[in-house]
Amino acid sequence: MTKLIKWSPFSELPTLHKEIDDIFKRFFGAGERMLGFRETEWLPSVESFISKGNLVIRAELPGINPKDVDISIVGNQITIKGERKTAKETKEEECLMKEISYGSFERSMPLPEGVDANKVHATYANGMLEITMPVPKELSAKKIEIEYKETPEKERAVRAA
């Protein structure tokens, strides 16, 4: 028999703390620079999925010259590094609002076992970096059927009462 463990809201605090920190970093990162706090990195949004036998990784990199982006694979880890540079330096006293983050960034993601690093292809268009690489067949999506039984009406009525 499985032992039941009482849920405690305090067990969720570390996860909640990290999520709140991430939100503040994303929304107020530019504000920290404007207010004279430490220079912070910004993180471009990334998505990954498997399509037609390929692992596809997309990163939003608007305003970045693709020549300023480095992609590297070490072991089973892919890393995207780069920098968004300011077009024109603005003096703090002239700045009314500053929400765009500038500076360096680095995103690393694990790759599935068996990905061939020699067959990686990267393209950049309209501010979107797309990296594709073939994945082994065993990593392709497989649909899992769910078995279920319909509970007779009498049993549902007894459970509800």
Side-chain angles (χ1 to χ4, degrees):
M1 183 184 229
T2 308
K3 182 179 177 183
L4 292 177
I5 300 172
K6 184 178 177 182
W7 177 77
S8 168
F10 297 107
S11 66
E12 302 293 326
L13 284 178
T15 304
L16 180 62
H17 186 266
K18 183 188 178 322
E19 289 174 2
I20 291 172
D21 280 351
D22 290 345
I23 290 169
F24 273 87
K25 283 178 187 173
R26 285 213 117 157
F27 288 108
F28 299 115
E32 287 178 357
R33 277 192 291 283
M34 193 172 97
L35 296 172
F37 294 114
R38 63 180 171 79
E39 190 74 20
T40 59
E41 288 187 348
W42 67 280
L43 297 175
S45 298
V46 175
E47 67 181 357
S48 65
F49 54 91
I50 295 178
S51 175
K52 300 176 184 171
N54 288 310
L55 171 63
V56 180
I57 299 171
R58 289 188 187 142
E60 287 183 326
L61 303 176
I64 296 177
N65 186 335
K67 293 177 183 175
D68 294 333
V69 177
D70 293 319
I71 303 168
S72 61
I73 297 177
V74 177
N76 68 337
Q77 190 91 359
I78 186 167
T79 301
I80 305 168
K81 290 182 187 180
E83 183 177 2
R84 180 164 38 204
K85 299 173 184 170
T86 57
K88 176 187 165 197
E89 193 62 38
T90 306
K91 296 176 185 172
E92 277 192 46
E93 59 270 7
E94 295 174 346
C95 187
L96 299 175
M97 178 183 241
K98 189 172 184 180
E99 293 182 343
I100 299 173
S101 297
Y102 296 97
S104 62
F105 67 88
E106 182 174 329
R107 294 294 307 258
S108 294
M109 293 152 280
L111 295 174
E113 291 291 326
V115 169
D116 187 353
N118 296 318
K119 295 183 180 178
V120 175
H121 180 72
T123 58
Y124 181 89
N126 299 321
M128 186 71 72
L129 173 68
E130 184 170 289
I131 305 166
T132 58
M133 61 198 80
V135 293
K137 289 193 178 211
E138 58 269 10
L139 293 177
S140 297
K142 178 182 173 186
K143 182 167 176 63
I144 308 295
E145 294 294 326
I146 301 172
E147 293 183 31
Y148 65 94
K149 293 181 187 178
E150 189 64 39
T151 306
E153 192 65 35
K154 279 184 174 180
E155 286 183 39
R156 277 188 269 176
V158 170
R159 287 184 188 165

